[in-house]
Amino acid sequence: MSKANKSNKAIKYRLYPNDEQKVMFAKTFGCCRFVYNQLLALQKQRYKDGESHLSKLKSNEFATRTLKKDYDFLKEIDKFAVSNAVFHLADAYDRFFKKQNHFPKFKSKRKSKKSYTTNFTNNNILIGKNVIKLPKVGMVKAVIHKLPKDDWKLKSVTVSQDSVGNYFASVLFEYEQEDIPSVSKSSTNAIGLDYKSDGLYMDSNGNKAGVHNDYKSDGLYMDSNGNKAGVHKYYRESHKKLAKQQRRLSRKAGSKKNETKSSNYFKQMRKVNRIYRKIAYQRLDSLHKKSTEIANQYDIVCVEDLDMKAIGNKGFGNGKATFDNGYGMFLNMLDYKLKERGKYFVKVDKWYPSSQICHCCGSVKKLDLKDRVYTCDCGYTGDRDHNAAINILTEGLRILRSL
C-alpha cells in the first residue's frame, strides 16, 4: 500500500508499577524535564548572543554527547526518552515559528505534566498478558483491555502519571488503513447541529434532548430534527463537594504564597484532583456515547465552525458553563468517527447568519440573544435554535455538494 494509506492509532493502558518501577518512572520524568529545560536555556542564550538556532539533530547531539557526559544520572534512564525530550522542544519551537503556539516555557517540577516517550526497536517493548515490557523498567503490571490487530506495527510508548498518581502507557501503532467506500454526497440521511445554550443540541427535525440543570449553557446542541441533546453538568453537580475539599486545602500549610508546602497539603491536593479527574471522565464518557450515536445514525453531519474559547469569554458571563458543556470536544469526536465510517463532517462558517435566516422563505431578521423564538412575516414561528439547525443543514449540504 502507499504511504498515504498508513494511519496511526494509540491504545491507552493503565499501569500498576511496583515501588522500584515507580522510582525509575520518577527519574525518567525528571531527567526528561531537565534535558528540556537545559536545551531551552541554551537556545535562548544562543539567541541573545546572536548565534544561530540549533536544529533538531544538533540539539539531540548536544544532549547525548555533552549533557550525558556532564550529568551521569542521564545515563540511568532510557536513551530514547532523552532524545524525545529534545524533539518535543524542537516541535514546540516549530509551532512557535509557525505562529501556532506561544513561546516554549520551562517545565515545572510541580505543575508540568509528568510523561516521557520511548521508541520501539529490537523488541524492547512488548505487550503480554496483563504486562507491558518497557526499556530500563522491565515488565510492568497493566490492564490489557484491548489488543492490537496482528498487522499493526508498534511504534512508540508514552508513559504518563496523572495528578492523582495513576500511571498510564499510551501505545502507538501504525497500520495500513483499508479503503472505506464513502457514502454518496446526495444522501438524504443528513442532520444539522446548532450549539445550544440551554441544551446539548437541537436537530433540524425539532427534537430537543433533555437537560439536567437549569443554568446557562446547560446542554450541548440542537439538531435539524428539533432534538435537543442534554448532558449532565458534571462540574456543577460536583461543585459542592469540590468546594468543600478546596476549602480544606486552603487551610493546609503551604496554601499561602511563598510558603513551603507540607505533606498534608499534597495529600489534600490529590483529593481535589480526584474530583476533577472524575468530572473529566464523566464528561468524556457522555460525549463519546452521544457522538458515536450520531456517527452511526447519520451519513452527513453539518455544524457551525465555532470558536468555543471566544464563546466562553468572561464578557459573556457563562464561561464555566460553556466549558463544562464540552461542545468543542464533541465536534472533534464527531469529526474522526465520521471519517472512520466513510461519512461526511461539514463545517459551516461561523459568520453564516444561521439564526437570522428564515428556513421557510429565506428572509433575514436580526435577533438579540434574548429572543428565543423566531417569528417571520411569512407565518413561520418556531424555536430559534431549531431554525438555525435547519439553516446549518441546508448550507452544509450546499457546501458539500459544491466540492
Side-chain angles (χ1 to χ4, degrees):
M1 276 194 173
S2 62
K3 188 175 181 181
N5 291 326
K6 289 186 177 181
S7 298
N8 294 327
K9 184 171 287 189
I11 303 176
K12 192 173 184 179
Y13 300 107
R14 173 77 181 273
L15 299 179
Y16 293 90
N18 57 36
D19 292 340
E20 186 178 345
Q21 291 168 340
K22 287 180 180 179
V23 171
M24 179 53 70
F25 283 149
K27 284 183 178 180
T28 309
F29 295 150
C31 289
C32 290
R33 184 180 64 252
F34 175 81
V35 170
Y36 185 97
N37 289 341
Q38 288 288 314
L39 262 297
L40 179 56
L42 175 65
Q43 296 282 30
K44 292 177 74 173
Q45 188 60 47
R46 288 178 66 88
Y47 178 77
K48 289 181 180 179
D49 296 340
E51 299 180 62
S52 61
H53 183 83
L54 287 179
S55 66
K56 182 185 291 188
L57 295 179
K58 289 288 185 180
S59 297
N60 189 42
E61 185 178 334
F62 174 82
T64 53
R65 293 187 180 181
T66 305
L67 289 181
K68 281 191 175 182
K69 183 179 179 181
D70 295 340
Y71 303 98
D72 290 335
F73 57 83
L74 293 178
K75 299 176 183 178
E76 299 178 20
I77 68 166
D78 181 10
K79 63 178 181 180
F80 291 116
V82 174
S83 296
N84 281 306
V86 176
F87 296 157
H88 289 162
L89 176 62
D91 291 339
Y93 264 108
D94 288 342
R95 290 194 297 272
F96 168 70
F97 292 141
K98 294 176 183 177
K99 297 183 179 180
Q100 296 174 345
N101 274 9
H102 295 294
F103 188 80
K105 295 181 180 179
F106 289 106
K107 290 184 179 290
S108 165
K109 181 178 179 180
R110 296 293 184 191
K111 297 180 180 179
S112 297
K113 182 180 179 181
K114 297 178 181 178
S115 68
Y116 76 88
T117 301
T118 183
N119 299 333
F120 174 80
T121 180
N122 298 325
N123 292 324
N124 62 338
I125 302 171
L126 293 174
I127 299 176
K129 186 177 181 181
N130 297 326
V131 291
I132 295 179
K133 179 188 174 184
L134 296 172
K136 294 283 187 174
V137 182
M139 293 292 186
V140 184
K141 185 180 177 182
V143 178
I144 309 299
H145 62 280
K146 182 180 180 181
L147 287 172
K149 295 181 180 179
D150 294 336
D151 59 339
W152 287 16
K153 183 180 178 182
L154 203 158
K155 300 291 289 183
S156 64
V157 175
T158 299
V159 179
S160 61
Q161 183 185 16
D162 64 15
S163 57
V164 180
N166 296 331
Y167 294 86
F168 299 91
S170 180
V171 187
L172 182 68
F173 297 93
E174 183 183 74
Y175 66 98
E176 293 183 341
Q177 189 174 22
E178 297 178 1
D179 293 330
I180 303 173
S182 300
V183 300
S184 173
K185 291 183 179 180
S186 59
S187 172
T188 57
N189 187 22
I191 197 168
L193 306 180
D194 179 52
Y195 173 68
K196 192 83 174 86
S197 61
D198 59 349
L200 187 65
Y201 66 87
M202 176 169 276
D203 65 24
S204 48
N205 293 333
N207 300 314
K208 195 165 159 181
V211 294
H212 305 275
N213 297 83
D214 52 353
Y215 68 99
K216 290 183 180 180
S217 297
D218 56 350
L220 192 63
Y221 63 86
M222 179 172 282
D223 65 28
S224 51
N225 296 326
N227 296 311
K228 176 181 162 190
V231 289
H232 282 273
K233 304 315 275 184
Y234 296 108
Y235 179 85
R236 190 57 60 97
E237 290 169 7
S238 300
H239 189 265
K240 288 184 178 179
K241 185 187 293 185
L242 180 62
K244 181 179 179 180
Q245 296 300 329
Q246 287 176 326
R247 282 195 299 270
R248 290 181 177 177
L249 179 66
S250 67
R251 300 186 186 106
K252 302 296 182 184
S255 60
K256 296 179 182 178
K257 190 176 181 180
N258 299 325
E259 187 178 23
T260 303
K261 290 176 171 51
S262 64
S263 59
N264 284 335
Y265 177 89
F266 290 113
K267 287 180 183 178
Q268 185 61 31
M269 175 64 79
R270 282 192 289 273
K271 291 181 181 180
V272 173
N273 289 338
R274 284 192 189 98
I275 299 175
Y276 276 120
R277 182 188 62 176
K278 182 179 179 181
I279 294 169
Y281 284 174
Q282 287 176 317
R283 184 186 299 118
L284 199 64
D285 179 69
S286 175
L287 295 177
H288 268 300
K289 288 176 179 176
K290 183 61 67 174
S291 58
T292 300
E293 178 187 335
I294 292 177
N296 288 335
Q297 189 174 355
Y298 296 99
D299 296 334
I300 303 170
V301 178
C302 307
V303 301
E304 281 184 298
D305 188 13
L306 298 175
D307 184 353
M308 299 309 299
K309 189 174 182 180
I311 293 176
N313 190 287
K314 292 180 181 179
F316 290 97
N318 64 342
K320 188 184 293 184
T322 300
F323 293 131
D324 194 15
N325 193 305
Y327 188 71
M329 281 195 299
F330 172 74
L331 294 185
N332 290 336
M333 292 175 184
L334 268 180
D335 190 6
Y336 78 79
K337 289 179 182 180
L338 287 165
K339 286 179 180 177
E340 286 178 349
R341 292 162 173 80
K343 299 179 179 181
Y344 296 103
F345 182 72
V346 185
K347 288 186 176 181
V348 175
D349 189 86
K350 63 183 177 181
W351 300 115
Y352 176 71
S354 58
S355 298
Q356 301 177 17
I357 299 175
C358 175
H359 75 274
C360 292
C361 66
S363 62
V364 179
K365 178 182 179 182
K366 288 193 175 182
L367 299 176
D368 295 327
L369 284 174
K370 63 181 180 180
D371 299 327
R372 306 315 305 170
V373 177
Y374 191 98
T375 304
C376 183
D377 295 336
C378 70
Y380 168 75
T381 299
D383 188 287
R384 166 202 182 115
D385 295 319
H386 182 206
N387 178 68
I390 296 174
N391 288 326
I392 290 170
L393 173 62
T394 304
E395 177 66 9
L397 292 176
R398 185 196 66 81
I399 293 172
L400 176 64
R401 290 161 186 171
S402 65
L403 297 176

